[in-house]
Amino acid sequence: MAIRVLLLAGALLVLACSHGATASDPSLLQDFCVADKTSPAHLNGLACKAAKEVVVEDFYFSRLHVPGNTTNKQGSAVTAVNVAQIGGLNTMGVSLVRIDYAPFGLNPPHTHLRSTEILTVLEGCLHVGFVTSNPENKHFDKVLNKGDVFVFPKGLVHYQYNNRTSNAVAIAALSSQNPGVITIANAVFGAEPSIPAGITTKAFQVEKSTVDWIQAQF
């Protein structure tokens, strides 16, 4: 009897742990739930297309080999492959991005509130890093070469910088069909309407003229 109780307790513990280890997106309850992008229904995710209307193209994307346009202020470009591009990713809890970097290009500090990210360098060299939450704000950074892999924990601010004179390319998997992204500088200094100057000057301990100059960049 005691052995049975122990086995039952162990089974319950395993179930509890496995439940806590699930991805950020809801788990599948069927083989697939291809997104119906025409549905007016408002869900935490997207409504399912009728199974009889699903076609192979719902699971396919063909343009990830095309370099992104890095002729911008940051010198980087992100090509997303999430549920917006592949309807078949709906409820799958995974997505992908290709990131192109011009020489000295930067994918600036940002966060994915719904996703962990695992990045692989395909070409070139990247200086990457992330910062832990308050109060420690510890900075973990490393220089990656071709073939190296790095993990950015869910929700933490992170970045990638091409510190070389040649182009770089990376591919990253994310643990959400729609990981979302908040670029820190854009959110703080490019908000519409603007965050009041009294708040930003106090937060960053700078003069209003400095805040005005930064906001003008966005």
Side-chain angles (χ1 to χ4, degrees):
M1 181 65 180
I3 294 177
R4 289 182 180 178
V5 171
L6 287 173
L7 289 173
L8 178 59
L12 291 173
L13 179 61
V14 168
L15 286 173
C17 291
S18 63
H19 177 73
T22 54
S24 60
D25 291 357
S27 298
L28 276 170
L29 298 177
Q30 61 275 323
D31 288 344
F32 51 76
C33 172
V34 173
D36 181 358
K37 299 173 185 176
T38 65
S39 173
H42 295 282
L43 306 170
N44 185 24
L46 296 167
C48 300
K49 182 187 289 188
K52 64 182 180 181
E53 297 177 5
V54 173
V55 294
V56 70
E57 284 75 16
D58 289 320
F59 305 93
Y60 175 75
F61 180 84
S62 66
R63 299 182 297 279
L64 206 61
H65 66 289
V66 179
N69 182 2
T70 58
T71 56
N72 53 63
K73 288 184 178 180
Q74 300 295 347
S76 67
V78 177
T79 303
V81 186
N82 55 42
V83 70
Q85 288 76 38
I86 301 181
L89 284 176
N90 193 35
T91 73
M92 295 292 177
V94 66
S95 59
L96 195 71
V97 295
R98 169 183 171 141
I99 314 170
D100 290 273
Y101 312 82
F104 305 109
L106 172 70
N107 189 12
H110 62 281
T111 179
H112 308 288
L113 296 181
R114 297 185 288 272
S115 175
T116 297
E117 177 179 347
I118 182 167
L119 176 141
T120 303
V121 179
L122 301 182
E123 296 291 342
C125 177
L126 293 175
H127 179 188
V128 306
F130 66 86
V131 179
T132 63
S133 54
N134 298 347
E136 290 83 5
N137 298 131
K138 185 173 181 179
H139 181 208
F140 290 85
D141 69 317
K142 191 170 182 62
V143 174
L144 306 181
N145 295 297
K146 182 176 180 178
D148 289 346
V149 178
F150 196 82
V151 173
F152 302 107
K154 179 180 177 180
L156 297 187
V157 174
H158 59 282
Y159 63 87
Q160 304 105 34
Y161 175 59
N162 178 11
N163 56 2
R164 300 292 174 86
T165 57
S166 56
N167 293 335
V169 182
I171 194 165
L174 301 107
S175 60
S176 172
Q177 69 180 41
N178 183 24
V181 60
I182 299 174
T183 304
I184 307 305
N186 296 58
V188 175
F189 296 107
E192 291 289 347
S194 299
I195 297 173
I199 294 174
T200 47
T201 54
K202 188 175 182 64
F204 291 94
Q205 296 295 291
V206 296
E207 299 294 328
K208 183 178 182 299
S209 59
T210 302
V211 171
D212 291 342
W213 182 84
I214 297 174
Q215 287 179 330
Q217 311 310 307
F218 295 91

